[in-house]
Amino acid sequence: MAILELDKVSKSFGAVKVIGDLSFQVPDHSVFGFIGKNGAGKTTTMKMILGFLQQDSGVIHVCGEKVSYGNTKANRNIGYLPDVPEFYGYMNPKEYLKLCGEITGLKKEIIQSRTKELLELVGLDGVNRRIHGFSRGMKQRLGIAQALLNEPKLLICDEPTSALDPMGRKEILDILSLAKNKTTILFSTHILSDVERICDRIGVLNQGKLVLEGDVSDIKHKYRKDTVRVEVGKSFQPEKAADGLRKLTAVTNVRTDNRIIEIQVHNAEDSGADILAFLLKEAVPVIRYEIMEPSLENVFLQVVV
Amino acid sequence: MVIFMRGFLAFTKKEFLEQLRTYKWLIFLAVFFLFGLMSPLLAKLTPDILSSMDMGGIQLNLPEPTVMDAYSQYFKNMTQMGVVVVLLVFGSILSNELIKGTLVNILAKGMSRTAVLLSKYTAAVILWSAGFLLSAATNYGYTVYLFKNASVPNLMFSMFCLWLFGCFIIALILLSSVAAAGSFGGLILSAVTLIILLMVNIFPKAEKFNPVTLVSKNTALLNGTNKAGDLYLTVAMTTTLIAVCIITAVLLFKKKQI
Amino acid sequence: MHSLSQLKEYLPFLIPLFLIQLGLMIAALVHIFRHKNYRIGNRVLWVILAVALNTIGPVLYFTIGRGED
């Protein structure tokens, strides 16, 4: 079953079309990476899902319930972590979670036990200071705790890691990996290494449209365009080998640059033997030979540019 | 309805905690206590202060101050400095949250926007009422102490008018804060509106309909220049305006992008 | 001179007046020194205002000057 369903959603700000006919589904218990450049429309989409912004056309369903603007009833199924969550600085984490729990109508005992559980999960147990002295990373972690408080079926995180240092990013990703056992996560970002770490599905948003959507490993496989990178010794002219390499059947393209030869092949492992045999035959002084893995970054650049 | 009440109560509790921890409570009660204390004292001492000043040989013959002087001093303080304090203390209760984005988490949890505004209004009116009652009680006590007598006609009604005007300012602040942007947008818009209302009162015909009249006739009520009945229309008008301000604020707030 | 009896008459005013003004000033100073960020102005300005302008200084500090909490 799809937890989140967008059907032909469009949104313009004035004359600028930010989202155009956007449709996608997020299946139950998946981590959906919502990828796009800054300004691609990720936050706009998320705000429409939360009912904070009104779409010009199209329908959004969360857990089968239609989202309507200004009415935040469907939000009881959603936990939201804004890109920079803001809290009441004069409260401590427990007091803040108590307020959140009371608003959602949780029972007193449940608020207490969940608060304890969640503060442990995000590593803020025993922190009884007021929030105004918190670092960005601590606020982000408290943000996750408040978003998970009502055990939402869908957790929406808007760029949870982009404002953090590498240490803070790792902490947030670790927490999200734990949270994914319990809930479906929609995770927007422009940091592709984060996506590779925790997402099972991705959707790439470009100019208000999804240009790519699907399972991460499928996509990687589909866009597999292996590259073999050979570094040669100083005395050798790379161009000398390039022509010979081009004649090999498995090779689709060869590019040389200073002391580097980049050979594009269909499958680096299968055609590796041919290339190596050729290099040996021509007595090319090889310093380094490596197979470049297809990264999401390459895929992203291919579909976006 | 149940969800609404739940959110309303939880958020009102949060507002009280905020008043306490951001020192609003402290300043409000301290300042209004001082108003109650200073007014009769100033009334009593004014002749002494004036006569102790060197007026270039002119002999001032001032009458002995009366209870009426004490009350007119009190109303003067409350309607001038008191209004400024109300504006300063409550001026950013909503703007602050909108600027900082602290409401995002709360609204994302399904909290009703109407409940947010009503909570803010309720909590602010309660603090205002507490400050007002404290100042009124202090003023009464000290006036009795200094003047051995504190009974003047229409005192309760005059006090009520002052209190109602405070409630009007708070409603005005909420509406202004939804309408105007920026940390001080709501505060400035409310202040400007009050100044305009003050100027409108130059026209005698407008007086009866203008909330400002509630705080310009206090002394006139006490010394009998005006009767309570003269202000009934103004009271009704102000009550209506409070409702209009809150309802408009709610409607605008529902359409506001967070 | 009847100043001593007069002073006595005014003690019920002067004592609370003094205590409240002192209290407000101390509360403001403690807050100013425990925080670095102010919405408007800087530490020196607020210390001067809180000490020099009784009641008004602390009130302005808490309403306008106090930074994020």
Side-chain angles (χ1 to χ4, degrees):
Chain A
M1 193 194 100
I3 288 285
L4 172 67
E5 224 181 317
L6 274 82
D7 190 25
K8 296 197 174 120
V9 174
S10 297
K11 172 81 192 169
S12 303
F13 290 117
V16 185
K17 192 154 199 168
V18 184
I19 301 290
D21 271 349
L22 180 65
S23 301
F24 68 93
Q25 296 192 342
V26 177
D28 206 354
H29 280 95
S30 61
V31 180
F32 189 91
F34 196 39
I35 307 166
K37 293 186 284 194
N38 289 331
K42 293 171 301 206
T43 303
T44 305
T45 309
M46 295 188 154
K47 288 196 165 173
M48 288 191 289
I49 297 170
L50 286 158
F52 284 178
L53 268 180
Q54 187 163 29
Q55 66 265 36
D56 300 334
S57 63
V59 191
I60 302 172
H61 285 276
V62 175
C63 298
E65 204 170 328
K66 196 173 154 187
V67 175
S68 58
Y69 170 66
N71 182 351
T72 40
K73 229 176 77 198
N75 285 3
R76 65 175 189 278
N77 296 316
I78 305 179
Y80 176 52
L81 173 65
D83 48 354
V84 183
E86 289 294 348
F87 306 96
Y88 299 113
Y90 51 82
M91 290 184 175
N92 65 36
K94 268 188 197 148
E95 287 166 338
Y96 190 77
L97 292 182
K98 188 163 169 264
L99 169 69
C100 293
E102 283 173 355
I103 283 170
T104 20
L106 296 176
K107 288 213 181 68
K108 217 175 168 187
E109 309 82 61
I110 296 180
I111 296 177
Q112 275 177 357
S113 62
R114 290 240 183 101
T115 300
K116 198 170 165 287
E117 210 176 286
L118 285 168
L119 288 180
E120 264 169 40
L121 173 77
V122 300
L124 288 175
D125 46 335
V127 180
N128 290 320
R129 278 187 286 139
R130 292 193 186 167
I131 303 171
H132 69 80
F134 277 24
S135 68
R136 269 209 154 139
M138 288 169 88
K139 283 188 182 173
Q140 212 78 22
R141 284 185 274 151
L142 181 58
I144 296 181
Q146 61 85 24
L148 289 173
L149 189 69
N150 55 334
E151 298 194 320
K153 296 201 177 74
L154 174 65
L155 175 64
I156 298 182
C157 307
D158 190 0
E159 307 241 356
T161 56
S162 28
L164 301 177
D165 59 26
M167 194 57 205
R169 269 176 53 197
K170 187 185 167 333
E171 285 170 0
I172 297 298
L173 291 175
D174 288 345
I175 296 167
L176 288 179
S177 321
L178 287 173
K180 81 180 182 189
N181 301 323
K182 286 184 184 165
T183 177
T184 307
I185 303 178
L186 172 70
F187 169 87
S188 90
T189 186
H190 60 255
I191 303 170
L192 292 154
S193 57
D194 291 356
V195 174
E196 273 180 285
R197 276 202 49 191
I198 67 164
C199 295
D200 350 289
R201 290 179 72 79
I202 57 167
V204 178
L205 191 67
N206 191 36
Q207 294 175 336
K209 282 187 162 55
L210 268 200
V211 286
L212 179 68
E213 194 215 333
D215 198 90
V216 173
S217 47
D218 286 354
I219 287 175
K220 272 190 170 182
H221 190 74
K222 193 175 146 203
Y223 282 81
R224 200 175 185 101
K225 209 183 221 176
D226 287 7
T227 306
V228 174
R229 200 174 140 103
V230 181
E231 192 179 335
V232 296
K234 263 185 197 156
S235 54
F236 189 79
Q237 289 284 312
E239 288 78 15
K240 274 199 240 168
D243 281 336
L245 280 166
R246 282 199 186 93
K247 285 181 187 122
L248 295 176
T249 46
V251 174
T252 54
N253 196 13
V254 179
R255 212 168 53 82
T256 58
D257 180 23
N258 201 9
R259 279 150 50 208
I260 306 284
I261 310 174
E262 271 189 12
I263 310 154
Q264 298 219 327
V265 291
H266 290 300
N267 189 323
E269 281 161 33
D270 298 350
S271 33
D274 293 348
I275 295 171
L276 284 170
F278 175 81
L279 294 173
L280 210 60
K281 197 179 79 193
E282 299 292 312
V284 178
V286 175
I287 287 177
R288 198 156 57 146
Y289 177 94
E290 65 177 330
I291 297 174
M292 313 270 288
E293 271 294 304
S295 69
L296 273 181
E297 201 169 317
N298 293 341
V299 174
F300 180 71
L301 289 173
Q302 273 186 54
V303 295
V304 166
V305 178
Chain B
M1 199 57 207
V2 180
I3 299 172
F4 182 89
M5 275 314 287
R6 207 168 59 199
F8 174 79
L9 288 177
F11 206 78
T12 308
K13 246 167 57 188
K14 171 252 157 198
E15 284 293 311
F16 284 134
L17 187 72
E18 184 169 315
Q19 287 176 353
L20 197 69
R21 293 205 179 154
T22 58
Y23 300 86
K24 287 193 168 66
W25 192 83
L26 170 81
I27 10 177
F28 211 75
L29 294 189
V31 167
F32 279 94
F33 179 82
L34 285 182
F35 284 148
L37 180 147
M38 296 288 285
S39 308
L41 185 66
L42 273 175
K44 183 84 178 174
L45 293 182
T46 303
D48 287 356
I49 296 167
L50 287 180
S51 60
S52 72
M53 283 193 288
D54 184 11
M55 305 296 280
I58 301 163
Q59 263 295 315
L60 278 177
N61 217 342
L62 292 161
E64 186 67 12
T66 63
V67 182
M68 204 58 85
D69 294 314
Y71 274 108
S72 57
Q73 183 64 240
Y74 172 74
F75 280 111
K76 203 178 117 200
N77 283 340
M78 288 293 278
T79 54
Q80 292 172 5
M81 291 300 285
V83 167
V84 172
V85 170
V86 169
L87 278 172
L88 284 177
V89 168
F90 297 122
S92 48
I93 43 173
L94 185 62
S95 306
N96 244 350
E97 295 220 34
L98 294 174
I99 289 284
K100 272 196 75 191
T102 38
L103 282 178
V104 172
N105 291 344
I106 303 294
L107 295 177
K109 295 205 149 34
M111 171 87 179
S112 139
R113 295 188 184 203
T114 313
V116 168
L117 282 191
L118 289 184
S119 286
K120 288 202 173 279
Y121 189 70
T122 309
V125 163
I126 288 175
L127 181 57
W128 154 241
S129 306
F132 171 79
L133 285 177
L134 181 65
S135 82
T138 316
N139 181 60
Y140 184 84
Y142 279 116
T143 306
V144 171
Y145 174 80
L146 280 184
F147 296 91
K148 314 292 172 232
N149 164 26
S151 64
V152 281
N154 279 330
L155 181 59
M156 278 304 191
F157 181 68
S158 190
M159 286 277 188
F160 167 76
C161 290
L162 175 60
W163 175 80
L164 188 66
F165 188 71
C167 298
F168 169 70
I169 297 179
I170 298 169
L172 186 64
I173 289 172
L174 283 185
L175 175 59
S176 312
S177 307
V178 180
S183 308
F184 297 110
L187 179 61
I188 293 166
L189 186 59
S190 314
V192 170
T193 313
L194 285 180
I195 292 169
I196 292 173
L197 287 178
L198 210 63
M199 293 195 303
V200 166
N201 249 12
I202 296 169
F203 306 104
K205 275 186 183 163
E207 247 187 358
K208 271 189 176 329
F209 304 97
N210 193 339
V212 167
T213 308
L214 291 182
V215 287
S216 61
K217 295 285 182 203
N218 305 91
T219 316
L221 279 169
L222 300 188
N223 63 27
T225 317
N226 275 103
K227 284 191 279 299
D230 297 348
L231 271 90
Y232 287 164
L233 183 64
T234 321
V235 167
M237 197 62 205
T238 307
T239 316
T240 316
L241 277 177
I242 290 175
V244 169
C245 280
I246 294 175
I247 292 167
T248 319
V250 165
L251 293 177
L252 285 178
F253 192 45
K254 279 191 172 174
K255 296 279 164 239
K256 202 172 175 75
Q257 272 179 29
I258 298 294
Chain C
M1 221 18 223
H2 54 276
S3 64
L4 196 69
S5 68
Q6 234 180 356
L7 185 70
K8 224 173 159 183
E9 192 191 350
Y10 291 125
L11 271 185
F13 290 89
L14 298 176
I15 292 171
L17 187 68
F18 176 74
L19 287 180
I20 287 175
Q21 294 188 337
L22 189 71
L24 282 175
M25 188 177 90
I26 290 173
L29 286 177
V30 166
H31 198 279
I32 293 169
F33 281 109
R34 283 173 65 177
H35 293 77
K36 304 194 285 282
N37 301 316
Y38 313 105
R39 266 207 285 182
I40 295 178
N42 54 39
R43 181 171 285 179
V44 179
L45 172 81
W46 285 118
V47 169
I48 292 172
L49 284 181
V51 175
L53 290 177
N54 59 44
T55 316
I56 299 171
V59 167
L60 284 179
Y61 172 68
F62 281 122
T63 50
I64 301 178
R66 188 178 56 83
E68 281 322 321
D69 223 349

